[in-house]
Coordinates of all heavy atoms in Angstrom, one line a residue:
M108 N -0.5 2.9 13.8 CA 0.4 2.9 12.7 C -0.5 3.2 11.5 O -1.3 2.3 11.2 CB 1.2 1.7 12.5 CG 2.1 1.6 11.4 SD 3.8 2.0 11.8 CE 4.5 2.0 10.2
S109 N -0.1 4.1 10.6 CA -0.9 4.4 9.5 C -0.1 4.1 8.1 O 1.1 4.5 8.1 CB -1.2 5.9 9.5 OG -2.0 6.3 8.5
H110 N -0.7 3.7 7.2 CA -0.1 3.4 5.8 C -0.8 4.1 4.8 O -1.9 4.4 4.8 CB -0.1 1.9 5.6 CG 0.5 1.1 6.7 ND1 1.8 1.1 6.9 CD2 0.0 0.3 7.6 CE1 2.1 0.3 7.9 NE2 1.0 -0.2 8.4
R111 N 0.0 4.4 3.7 CA -0.6 5.1 2.6 C -1.1 4.1 1.6 O -0.4 3.1 1.2 CB 0.5 6.0 1.8 CG -0.1 6.9 0.8 CD 0.9 7.7 0.1 NE 2.0 7.1 -0.6 CZ 3.2 7.3 -0.2 NH1 3.5 8.2 0.7 NH2 4.1 6.5 -0.8
V112 N -2.3 4.3 1.1 CA -3.0 3.3 0.1 C -3.2 4.2 -1.2 O -3.7 5.3 -1.2 CB -4.2 2.9 0.6 CG1 -4.9 1.9 -0.4 CG2 -4.1 2.1 1.9
T113 N -2.6 3.6 -2.3 CA -2.8 4.3 -3.7 C -3.6 3.4 -4.5 O -3.6 2.2 -4.5 CB -1.4 4.4 -4.3 OG1 -0.5 5.2 -3.5 CG2 -1.6 5.1 -5.7
L114 N -4.7 4.0 -5.0 CA -5.7 3.3 -5.9 C -5.3 3.5 -7.4 O -5.0 4.5 -7.8 CB -7.1 3.9 -5.8 CG -7.7 3.8 -4.3 CD1 -9.0 4.5 -4.3 CD2 -7.8 2.4 -3.9
L115 N -5.3 2.4 -8.1 CA -5.2 2.4 -9.5 C -6.4 2.1 -10.2 O -7.2 1.3 -9.7 CB -4.1 1.4 -10.0 CG -2.7 1.5 -9.4 CD1 -1.7 0.4 -9.9 CD2 -2.1 2.8 -9.8
P116 N -6.8 2.7 -11.4 CA -5.8 3.6 -12.1 C -5.9 5.0 -11.8 O -5.2 5.9 -12.3 CB -6.4 3.4 -13.6 CG -7.8 3.1 -13.4 CD -8.0 2.4 -12.1
S117 N -6.8 5.4 -10.9 CA -7.0 6.9 -10.6 C -5.9 7.6 -9.9 O -5.7 8.8 -10.1 CB -8.2 7.1 -9.7 OG -8.0 6.7 -8.4
G118 N -5.0 6.8 -9.2 CA -3.9 7.5 -8.5 C -4.3 8.2 -7.2 O -3.5 8.8 -6.5
E119 N -5.6 8.1 -6.8 CA -6.1 8.7 -5.5 C -5.4 8.0 -4.3 O -5.1 6.7 -4.4 CB -7.7 8.5 -5.4 CG -8.3 9.5 -6.3 CD -9.9 9.1 -6.2 OE1 -10.4 8.3 -7.0 OE2 -10.6 9.7 -5.3
Q120 N -5.3 8.7 -3.2 CA -4.6 8.2 -2.1 C -5.3 8.4 -0.8 O -6.0 9.4 -0.8 CB -3.1 8.7 -2.0 CG -2.2 8.3 -3.2 CD -0.8 8.7 -2.9 OE1 -0.5 9.8 -2.3 NE2 0.2 7.9 -3.4
F121 N -5.1 7.5 0.1 CA -5.7 7.7 1.5 C -4.8 7.1 2.4 O -4.0 6.2 2.1 CB -7.1 7.3 1.5 CG -7.4 5.9 1.4 CD1 -7.4 5.0 2.4 CD2 -7.7 5.4 0.1 CE1 -7.7 3.7 2.2 CE2 -7.8 4.0 -0.1 CZ -7.9 3.2 0.9
Q122 N -5.0 7.5 3.7 CA -4.1 6.9 4.8 C -5.1 5.8 5.5 O -6.2 6.0 5.7 CB -3.8 7.9 5.9 CG -2.7 9.0 5.4 CD -1.3 8.2 5.2 OE1 -0.8 8.3 4.0 NE2 -0.9 7.5 6.2
A123 N -4.5 4.6 5.8 CA -5.3 3.7 6.5 C -4.5 3.2 7.7 O -3.4 2.8 7.7 CB -5.4 2.4 5.5
D124 N -5.1 3.4 8.8 CA -4.6 2.9 10.1 C -4.6 1.3 10.1 O -5.4 0.6 9.5 CB -5.5 3.3 11.4 CG -5.2 4.8 11.7 OD1 -4.1 5.3 11.2 OD2 -5.9 5.3 12.5
A125 N -3.6 0.7 10.7 CA -3.5 -0.8 10.7 C -4.6 -1.5 11.4 O -4.9 -2.6 11.0 CB -2.1 -1.2 11.4
D126 N -5.4 -0.8 12.2 CA -6.5 -1.6 12.9 C -7.9 -1.1 12.3 O -9.0 -1.3 12.9 CB -6.5 -1.2 14.4 CG -6.5 0.2 14.7 OD1 -6.5 1.0 13.7 OD2 -6.6 0.5 15.8
V127 N -7.9 -0.5 11.1 CA -9.2 -0.1 10.5 C -9.3 -0.8 9.2 O -8.3 -0.9 8.4 CB -9.1 1.4 10.2 CG1 -10.4 1.9 9.5 CG2 -9.1 2.2 11.5
P128 N -10.4 -1.5 8.8 CA -10.6 -2.1 7.4 C -10.4 -1.0 6.3 O -10.8 0.1 6.6 CB -12.1 -2.6 7.5 CG -12.5 -2.5 8.9 CD -11.6 -1.5 9.6
L129 N -9.7 -1.4 5.3 CA -9.4 -0.6 4.2 C -10.7 0.1 3.6 O -10.5 1.3 3.3 CB -8.7 -1.4 3.0 CG -7.3 -1.9 3.4 CD1 -6.9 -2.9 2.4 CD2 -6.4 -0.8 3.4
L130 N -11.7 -0.5 3.5 CA -13.0 0.0 3.0 C -13.4 1.3 3.9 O -13.8 2.3 3.3 CB -14.1 -1.0 3.0 CG -15.4 -0.6 2.4 CD1 -15.2 -0.4 0.9 CD2 -16.5 -1.7 2.7
L131 N -13.3 1.1 5.2 CA -13.7 2.1 6.2 C -12.5 3.3 6.1 O -13.0 4.5 6.1 CB -13.8 1.6 7.6 CG -14.4 2.4 8.7 CD1 -15.9 2.7 8.2 CD2 -14.4 1.7 10.0
A132 N -11.4 3.0 6.0 CA -10.3 3.9 5.9 C -10.6 4.9 4.6 O -10.4 6.0 4.7 CB -9.0 3.3 5.9
A133 N -10.9 4.2 3.6 CA -11.1 4.9 2.3 C -12.4 5.9 2.5 O -12.3 7.0 2.2 CB -11.4 4.0 1.1
E134 N -13.4 5.3 3.1 CA -14.6 6.2 3.4 C -14.3 7.3 4.3 O -14.8 8.5 4.1 CB -15.8 5.3 4.0 CG -16.4 4.4 2.9 CD -17.4 3.5 3.5 OE1 -17.5 3.5 4.8 OE2 -17.9 2.6 2.7
Q135 N -13.5 7.1 5.3 CA -13.2 8.2 6.2 C -12.4 9.3 5.4 O -12.3 10.4 5.9 CB -12.3 7.6 7.3 CG -13.1 6.9 8.4 CD -12.3 6.0 9.3 OE1 -11.2 6.0 9.3 NE2 -13.0 5.6 10.4
A136 N -11.7 9.0 4.3 CA -10.9 9.9 3.6 C -11.9 10.5 2.4 O -11.4 11.2 1.5 CB -9.8 9.3 3.0
G137 N -13.2 10.1 2.4 CA -14.1 10.6 1.4 C -14.0 9.8 0.1 O -14.6 10.3 -1.0
I138 N -13.5 8.6 0.1 CA -13.5 7.8 -1.1 C -14.3 6.6 -0.9 O -14.1 5.8 0.0 CB -12.0 7.3 -1.4 CG1 -11.1 8.5 -1.6 CG2 -12.0 6.5 -2.6 CD1 -9.7 8.2 -1.7
A139 N -15.4 6.5 -1.7 CA -16.4 5.4 -1.6 C -16.0 4.3 -2.6 O -16.1 4.4 -3.8 CB -17.7 5.9 -1.8
L140 N -15.5 3.2 -2.0 CA -15.2 2.0 -2.9 C -16.4 1.1 -2.9 O -17.3 1.2 -2.0 CB -14.0 1.3 -2.2 CG -12.7 2.0 -2.2 CD1 -11.6 1.1 -1.4 CD2 -12.2 2.4 -3.5
P141 N -16.6 0.3 -4.0 CA -17.7 -0.5 -4.0 C -17.9 -1.4 -2.8 O -16.9 -1.9 -2.3 CB -17.6 -1.4 -5.3 CG -16.5 -0.7 -6.1 CD -15.7 0.1 -5.1
S142 N -19.2 -1.6 -2.3 CA -19.2 -2.4 -1.2 C -20.7 -2.8 -0.9 O -21.7 -2.2 -1.5 CB -18.8 -1.7 0.2 OG -19.7 -0.7 0.5
S143 N -21.0 -3.8 -0.2 CA -22.4 -4.2 0.1 C -22.4 -4.8 1.5 O -22.8 -4.2 2.5 CB -22.9 -5.2 -1.0 OG -24.2 -5.5 -0.6
C144 N -22.0 -6.1 1.7 CA -22.1 -6.7 3.0 C -21.3 -6.3 4.0 O -21.5 -6.3 5.2 CB -22.0 -8.3 2.8 SG -20.2 -8.7 2.6
R145 N -20.0 -5.9 3.7 CA -19.0 -5.5 4.6 C -18.6 -6.5 5.7 O -18.1 -6.2 6.7 CB -19.5 -4.2 5.4 CG -19.7 -3.0 4.5 CD -20.4 -1.9 5.1 NE -20.5 -0.9 4.2 CZ -19.7 0.3 4.1 NH1 -18.8 0.3 5.1 NH2 -19.8 1.2 3.2
N146 N -18.8 -7.8 5.3 CA -18.3 -8.8 6.2 C -17.6 -9.8 5.5 O -17.4 -11.0 6.1 CB -19.5 -9.3 7.0 CG -20.6 -10.0 6.2 OD1 -20.2 -10.4 5.1 ND2 -21.7 -10.3 6.7
G147 N -17.1 -9.7 4.2 CA -16.3 -10.6 3.6 C -16.9 -11.7 2.9 O -16.4 -12.7 2.6
S148 N -18.3 -11.5 2.6 CA -19.0 -12.7 1.9 C -19.5 -12.4 0.5 O -19.5 -13.1 -0.3 CB -20.1 -13.2 2.8 OG -21.0 -12.3 3.2
C149 N -20.0 -11.1 0.3 CA -20.7 -10.9 -1.0 C -19.7 -10.5 -2.2 O -20.0 -10.8 -3.2 CB -21.6 -9.7 -0.9 SG -20.7 -8.0 -0.9
R150 N -18.5 -10.3 -1.9 CA -17.4 -10.0 -2.9 C -17.7 -8.8 -3.8 O -16.8 -8.5 -4.7 CB -17.3 -11.2 -3.9 CG -16.8 -12.5 -3.1 CD -17.1 -13.7 -3.9 NE -16.4 -13.7 -5.1 CZ -15.1 -14.2 -5.4 NH1 -14.5 -14.9 -4.4 NH2 -14.6 -14.1 -6.6
T151 N -18.6 -7.9 -3.4 CA -18.8 -6.7 -4.1 C -17.5 -5.8 -4.1 O -17.1 -5.2 -5.1 CB -19.9 -5.8 -3.5 OG1 -21.1 -6.6 -3.5 CG2 -20.2 -4.6 -4.2
C152 N -16.8 -5.9 -3.0 CA -15.6 -5.0 -2.9 C -14.3 -5.5 -3.5 O -13.3 -4.9 -3.5 CB -15.3 -4.6 -1.4 SG -15.1 -6.0 -0.4
L153 N -14.4 -6.8 -4.0 CA -13.3 -7.5 -4.5 C -12.3 -6.5 -5.4 O -12.8 -5.9 -6.2 CB -13.7 -8.7 -5.5 CG -12.8 -9.6 -6.0 CD1 -12.2 -10.4 -4.9 CD2 -13.3 -10.5 -7.0
C154 N -11.1 -6.6 -5.0 CA -10.1 -5.9 -5.9 C -8.8 -6.5 -5.8 O -8.5 -7.4 -5.0 CB -10.0 -4.4 -5.4 SG -9.4 -4.0 -3.7
R155 N -7.8 -6.0 -6.6 CA -6.5 -6.6 -6.7 C -5.5 -5.8 -5.8 O -5.5 -4.6 -5.9 CB -6.0 -6.7 -8.0 CG -6.6 -7.9 -8.7 CD -5.7 -9.0 -9.0 NE -4.5 -8.6 -9.8 CZ -3.8 -9.5 -10.4 NH1 -4.1 -10.8 -10.2 NH2 -2.8 -9.2 -11.1
L156 N -4.7 -6.6 -5.0 CA -3.5 -6.0 -4.2 C -2.3 -6.0 -5.1 O -1.9 -7.1 -5.5 CB -3.3 -6.8 -3.0 CG -2.1 -6.4 -2.1 CD1 -2.2 -4.9 -1.7 CD2 -1.9 -7.3 -0.9
V157 N -1.8 -4.8 -5.7 CA -0.9 -4.9 -6.6 C 0.6 -4.8 -5.9 O 1.5 -5.4 -6.3 CB -0.9 -3.5 -7.5 CG1 0.2 -3.4 -8.4 CG2 -2.2 -3.6 -8.3
Q158 N 0.5 -4.2 -4.6 CA 1.8 -4.1 -3.9 C 1.5 -3.9 -2.4 O 0.4 -3.2 -2.1 CB 2.5 -2.8 -4.5 CG 3.9 -2.7 -4.1 CD 4.6 -1.5 -4.7 OE1 4.4 -1.2 -6.0 NE2 5.3 -0.7 -4.0
G159 N 2.3 -4.6 -1.6 CA 2.2 -4.3 -0.2 C 1.6 -5.5 0.5 O 1.3 -6.6 -0.2
D160 N 1.4 -5.4 1.9 CA 0.9 -6.6 2.7 C -0.3 -6.2 3.5 O -0.4 -5.0 4.0 CB 1.9 -7.0 3.7 CG 3.1 -7.6 3.0 OD1 3.0 -8.4 2.1 OD2 4.3 -7.1 3.3
I161 N -1.3 -7.1 3.5 CA -2.5 -6.8 4.3 C -2.7 -7.9 5.3 O -2.0 -9.1 5.3 CB -3.7 -6.8 3.4 CG1 -4.0 -8.2 2.6 CG2 -3.7 -5.7 2.4 CD1 -5.0 -9.1 3.1
R162 N -3.6 -7.6 6.3 CA -3.9 -8.7 7.2 C -5.4 -8.9 7.2 O -6.2 -7.9 7.1 CB -3.5 -8.1 8.6 CG -3.8 -9.1 9.8 CD -3.3 -8.3 11.1 NE -4.1 -7.1 11.4 CZ -5.3 -7.2 12.1 NH1 -5.9 -8.2 12.4 NH2 -5.9 -6.0 12.3
W163 N -5.8 -10.1 7.1 CA -7.2 -10.4 7.2 C -7.8 -10.2 8.6 O -7.2 -10.6 9.5 CB -7.5 -11.9 6.7 CG -7.1 -12.1 5.3 CD1 -6.0 -12.7 4.7 CD2 -7.9 -11.5 4.2 NE1 -6.1 -12.6 3.4 CE2 -7.2 -11.9 2.9 CE3 -9.0 -10.7 4.0 CZ2 -7.6 -11.7 1.7 CZ3 -9.5 -10.6 2.6 CH2 -8.8 -11.0 1.6
R164 N -9.0 -9.6 8.6 CA -9.6 -9.4 9.9 C -10.5 -10.6 10.3 O -11.1 -10.5 11.4 CB -10.3 -8.0 9.8 CG -9.5 -6.9 9.5 CD -10.2 -5.7 9.3 NE -11.0 -5.2 10.4 CZ -10.4 -4.5 11.5 NH1 -9.1 -4.3 11.3 NH2 -11.1 -4.1 12.5
I165 N -10.8 -11.5 9.3 CA -11.7 -12.6 9.7 C -10.9 -13.9 9.1 O -10.0 -13.7 8.3 CB -13.0 -12.6 9.0 CG1 -13.0 -12.5 7.5 CG2 -13.9 -11.4 9.5 CD1 -14.2 -12.5 6.7
D166 N -11.2 -15.1 9.7 CA -10.5 -16.3 9.3 C -10.8 -16.7 7.9 O -10.0 -17.3 7.3 CB -10.8 -17.3 10.4 CG -10.2 -17.0 11.6 OD1 -9.2 -16.3 11.7 OD2 -10.7 -17.5 12.7
W167 N -12.1 -16.6 7.5 CA -12.4 -17.1 6.3 C -13.1 -16.1 5.2 O -14.4 -16.2 5.0 CB -13.6 -18.3 6.4 CG -13.0 -19.3 7.3 CD1 -13.2 -19.6 8.6 CD2 -12.0 -20.3 6.9 NE1 -12.5 -20.7 9.0 CE2 -11.7 -21.1 8.0 CE3 -11.4 -20.7 5.7 CZ2 -10.8 -22.3 8.1 CZ3 -10.4 -21.7 5.7 CH2 -10.2 -22.5 6.8
P168 N -12.3 -15.2 4.7 CA -12.8 -14.2 3.7 C -13.3 -15.1 2.6 O -12.7 -16.2 2.2 CB -11.7 -13.4 3.5 CG -10.4 -14.1 3.7 CD -10.8 -15.0 5.0
G169 N -14.2 -14.5 1.8 CA -14.9 -15.3 0.7 C -14.1 -15.3 -0.5 O -14.4 -14.9 -1.6
L170 N -12.9 -15.9 -0.5 CA -12.0 -16.0 -1.6 C -11.4 -17.4 -1.7 O -11.2 -18.0 -0.6 CB -10.8 -15.1 -1.5 CG -11.0 -13.6 -1.5 CD1 -9.7 -12.9 -1.2 CD2 -11.5 -13.2 -2.9
S171 N -11.1 -17.9 -2.8 CA -10.6 -19.2 -3.0 C -9.1 -19.1 -2.8 O -8.5 -18.0 -2.9 CB -10.8 -19.7 -4.4 OG -10.0 -19.1 -5.4
P172 N -8.3 -20.2 -2.5 CA -6.9 -20.1 -2.3 C -6.2 -19.5 -3.6 O -5.2 -18.7 -3.4 CB -6.5 -21.6 -2.0 CG -7.8 -22.1 -1.4 CD -8.9 -21.4 -2.1
D173 N -6.8 -20.0 -4.7 CA -6.2 -19.5 -6.0 C -6.3 -17.9 -6.0 O -5.3 -17.2 -6.3 CB -6.8 -20.0 -7.2 CG -6.2 -21.5 -7.5 OD1 -5.2 -21.8 -6.8 OD2 -6.9 -22.2 -8.4
E174 N -7.5 -17.5 -5.7 CA -7.7 -16.0 -5.8 C -6.8 -15.2 -4.7 O -6.1 -14.3 -5.1 CB -9.2 -15.7 -5.5 CG -10.1 -16.1 -6.6 CD -11.6 -15.9 -6.2 OE1 -11.8 -16.2 -5.0 OE2 -12.4 -15.6 -7.0
K175 N -6.5 -15.8 -3.6 CA -5.6 -15.2 -2.7 C -4.3 -15.2 -3.2 O -3.6 -14.2 -3.1 CB -5.6 -16.0 -1.3 CG -6.8 -15.6 -0.5 CD -6.6 -16.3 1.0 CE -7.8 -16.2 1.7 NZ -7.7 -17.1 3.0
R176 N -3.9 -16.2 -3.8 CA -2.5 -16.3 -4.3 C -2.3 -15.4 -5.5 O -1.3 -14.7 -5.6 CB -2.2 -17.8 -4.9 CG -1.2 -18.4 -4.2 CD -0.7 -19.8 -4.9 NE -1.8 -20.5 -5.6 CZ -2.6 -21.5 -4.9 NH1 -2.3 -21.7 -3.6 NH2 -3.4 -22.1 -5.6
E177 N -3.4 -15.1 -6.3 CA -3.3 -14.1 -7.4 C -3.4 -12.6 -6.9 O -3.3 -11.8 -7.7 CB -4.4 -14.5 -8.3 CG -4.1 -15.8 -9.1 CD -5.4 -16.3 -9.9 OE1 -6.4 -15.5 -9.9 OE2 -5.4 -17.3 -10.4
G178 N -3.6 -12.5 -5.6 CA -3.5 -11.1 -5.1 C -4.9 -10.5 -4.9 O -5.0 -9.3 -4.6
W179 N -6.0 -11.3 -5.1 CA -7.3 -10.6 -4.9 C -7.6 -10.4 -3.4 O -7.3 -11.3 -2.6 CB -8.5 -11.5 -5.5 CG -8.4 -11.6 -6.9 CD1 -7.8 -12.6 -7.7 CD2 -8.7 -10.6 -7.9 NE1 -7.8 -12.3 -9.0 CE2 -8.4 -11.1 -9.2 CE3 -9.5 -9.4 -7.8 CZ2 -8.7 -10.4 -10.4 CZ3 -9.8 -8.8 -9.0 CH2 -9.4 -9.2 -10.2
I180 N -8.2 -9.3 -3.0 CA -8.5 -9.1 -1.5 C -9.9 -8.5 -1.5 O -10.5 -8.1 -2.5 CB -7.5 -8.1 -0.9 CG1 -7.7 -6.6 -1.5 CG2 -6.1 -8.7 -1.0 CD1 -6.9 -5.6 -0.6
L181 N -10.5 -8.6 -0.2 CA -11.7 -8.0 0.1 C -11.5 -6.8 1.0 O -11.2 -7.1 2.2 CB -12.7 -9.1 0.6 CG -12.9 -10.2 -0.3 CD1 -13.7 -11.3 0.5 CD2 -13.8 -9.8 -1.5
P182 N -11.4 -5.6 0.7 CA -11.0 -4.5 1.5 C -11.9 -4.3 2.7 O -11.6 -3.5 3.6 CB -11.0 -3.3 0.6 CG -11.6 -3.7 -0.6 CD -11.6 -5.2 -0.8
C183 N -13.1 -4.9 2.7 CA -14.0 -4.6 3.9 C -13.6 -5.4 5.0 O -13.9 -5.2 6.2 CB -15.4 -5.0 3.6 SG -15.7 -6.8 3.1
V184 N -12.7 -6.5 4.8 CA -12.2 -7.4 5.8 C -10.6 -7.4 5.8 O -10.2 -8.5 6.3 CB -12.9 -8.8 5.9 CG1 -14.3 -8.7 6.3 CG2 -12.8 -9.4 4.6
A185 N -10.1 -6.4 5.3 CA -8.5 -6.5 5.3 C -8.1 -5.1 5.8 O -8.7 -4.1 5.5 CB -8.1 -6.7 3.8
S186 N -6.9 -5.2 6.5 CA -6.3 -4.0 6.9 C -4.9 -3.9 6.4 O -4.3 -4.9 6.0 CB -6.2 -4.0 8.5 OG -7.5 -4.0 9.0
A187 N -4.3 -2.7 6.3 CA -3.0 -2.5 5.8 C -1.9 -2.8 6.8 O -2.0 -2.4 7.9 CB -2.8 -1.0 5.4
C188 N -0.9 -3.7 6.4 CA 0.3 -3.9 7.2 C 1.5 -3.1 6.5 O 2.6 -3.2 7.2 CB 0.6 -5.3 7.1 SG -0.6 -6.4 7.9
S189 N 1.3 -2.4 5.5 CA 2.3 -1.7 4.8 C 1.8 -0.8 4.0 O 0.4 -0.7 3.7 CB 3.3 -2.5 3.9 OG 2.7 -3.0 2.9
D190 N 2.5 0.3 3.2 CA 1.9 1.0 2.2 C 1.4 0.1 1.1 O 2.1 -0.9 0.9 CB 2.9 2.0 1.5 CG 3.3 3.1 2.5 OD1 2.5 3.2 3.6 OD2 4.2 3.9 2.3
L191 N 0.3 0.4 0.5 CA -0.4 -0.5 -0.5 C -0.7 0.2 -1.8 O -0.9 1.4 -1.9 CB -1.7 -0.9 0.1 CG -1.8 -1.6 1.5 CD1 -3.2 -2.0 1.7 CD2 -1.0 -2.9 1.4
V192 N -0.7 -0.6 -2.8 CA -1.4 -0.2 -4.1 C -2.4 -1.2 -4.4 O -2.1 -2.4 -4.4 CB -0.2 -0.1 -5.3 CG1 -0.9 0.2 -6.6 CG2 1.0 0.7 -4.9
L193 N -3.6 -0.6 -4.7 CA -4.8 -1.5 -5.0 C -5.4 -1.0 -6.3 O -5.3 0.2 -6.7 CB -5.9 -1.2 -3.9 CG -5.7 -1.5 -2.5 CD1 -6.9 -1.3 -1.7 CD2 -5.3 -3.0 -2.3
E194 N -5.8 -2.1 -7.1 CA -6.6 -1.7 -8.3 C -8.0 -1.8 -7.9 O -8.7 -2.7 -7.6 CB -6.4 -2.9 -9.2 CG -5.3 -2.6 -10.2 CD -5.1 -3.8 -11.1 OE1 -6.0 -4.6 -11.3 OE2 -4.0 -3.9 -11.6
S195 N -8.6 -0.5 -7.8 CA -10.0 -0.3 -7.5 C -10.6 0.9 -7.8 O -9.9 1.9 -7.7 CB -10.3 -0.6 -5.9 OG -11.6 -0.5 -5.5
T196 N -11.8 0.9 -8.3 CA -12.3 2.2 -8.9 C -13.4 2.8 -8.0 O -14.4 2.0 -7.8 CB -12.9 2.1 -10.3 OG1 -11.8 1.6 -11.2 CG2 -13.4 3.4 -10.8
P197 N -13.2 3.9 -7.4 CA -14.2 4.5 -6.4 C -15.6 4.6 -7.0 O -15.6 4.8 -8.4 CB -13.7 5.8 -6.0 CG -12.1 5.7 -6.2 CD -12.0 4.8 -7.4
V198 N -16.6 4.5 -6.3 CA -17.9 4.9 -6.8 C -18.1 6.4 -6.8 O -17.7 7.1 -6.0 CB -19.0 4.2 -5.8 CG1 -20.4 4.6 -6.3 CG2 -18.8 2.8 -5.7
R199 N -18.7 6.8 -8.0 CA -18.8 8.3 -8.3 C -20.4 8.5 -8.2 O -21.0 8.3 -9.2 CB -18.3 8.8 -9.5 CG -16.8 8.5 -9.7 CD -16.0 9.4 -9.0 NE -14.5 9.2 -9.1 CZ -13.7 9.4 -8.2 NH1 -14.1 9.9 -7.1 NH2 -12.4 9.1 -8.4
W200 N -20.8 8.9 -7.0 CA -22.3 9.1 -7.0 C -22.7 10.2 -8.0 O -23.8 10.2 -8.5 CB -22.7 9.4 -5.5 CG -22.3 8.4 -4.6 CD1 -21.4 8.4 -3.7 CD2 -22.8 7.1 -4.6 NE1 -21.3 7.3 -2.9 CE2 -22.1 6.4 -3.5 CE3 -23.8 6.4 -5.2 CZ2 -22.4 5.1 -3.2 CZ3 -24.1 5.0 -4.9 CH2 -23.4 4.5 -3.9
D201 N -21.9 11.2 -8.1 CA -22.3 12.3 -9.0 C -22.4 12.0 -10.4 O -22.9 12.7 -11.2 CB -21.3 13.5 -8.7 CG -20.0 13.1 -8.9 OD1 -19.6 12.0 -8.9 OD2 -19.0 14.2 -9.0
Q202 N -21.8 10.8 -10.8 CA -21.7 10.4 -12.2 C -22.9 9.3 -12.4 O -23.0 8.7 -13.6 CB -20.4 10.0 -12.7 CG -19.5 11.0 -12.6 CD -18.0 10.6 -12.9 OE1 -17.8 9.4 -13.3 NE2 -17.1 11.5 -12.8
A203 N -23.5 9.0 -11.4 CA -24.5 7.8 -11.6 C -25.6 8.2 -12.5 O -26.1 9.3 -12.7 CB -25.0 7.4 -10.2
Ligands
FES369 S1 -18.5 -5.7 0.9 FE1 -19.1 -7.8 0.7 S2 -17.2 -8.9 0.6 FE2 -16.7 -6.8 1.0

């Protein structure tokens, strides 16, 4: 099952399979989101879930209960359960 993910503020979109981490799904679509550890601990990929539902792929992602309640997610260890809207700005290597 594949879901559409929309990034704010750019409006870029990609498809994310339910069994693929969002970070990887974005990369497969040619969109590089900020990342480092890719295992839910460094928080480099931290972004806000504006709309939709995700599933955590690990039991203890590096977020506080308050952060989770406020909608913060770590896309390296989260997968889409519905169409999503995320606040995240892709890395632009050509503008570095
Ligand atoms: S890349 Fe480190 S927490 Fe996501």
Side-chain angles (χ1 to χ4, degrees):
M108 177 102 187
S109 178
H110 302 288
R111 186 178 61 236
V112 182
T113 303
L114 299 177
L115 297 179
S117 68
E119 283 172 275
Q120 295 188 324
F121 60 93
Q122 289 295 125
D124 282 348
D126 58 353
V127 173
L129 289 166
L130 187 70
L131 194 61
E134 286 175 357
Q135 288 170 349
I138 298 172
L140 299 178
S142 70
S143 181
C144 72
R145 297 170 175 259
N146 64 19
S148 58
C149 76
R150 299 166 55 100
T151 302
C152 64
L153 185 70
C154 68
R155 281 256 295 197
L156 176 62
V157 178
Q158 197 176 311
D160 294 312
I161 58 107
R162 181 177 66 81
W163 292 106
R164 302 173 61 82
I165 61 174
D166 289 336
W167 301 103
L170 292 174
S171 71
D173 278 352
E174 288 172 325
K175 281 189 188 171
R176 244 191 321 274
E177 289 167 6
W179 294 98
I180 68 164
L181 299 170
C183 65
V184 287
S186 300
C188 293
S189 70
D190 288 354
L191 303 178
V192 178
L193 299 180
E194 271 176 19
S195 183
T196 301
V198 178
R199 304 280 179 214
W200 302 111
D201 54 345
Q202 293 173 11

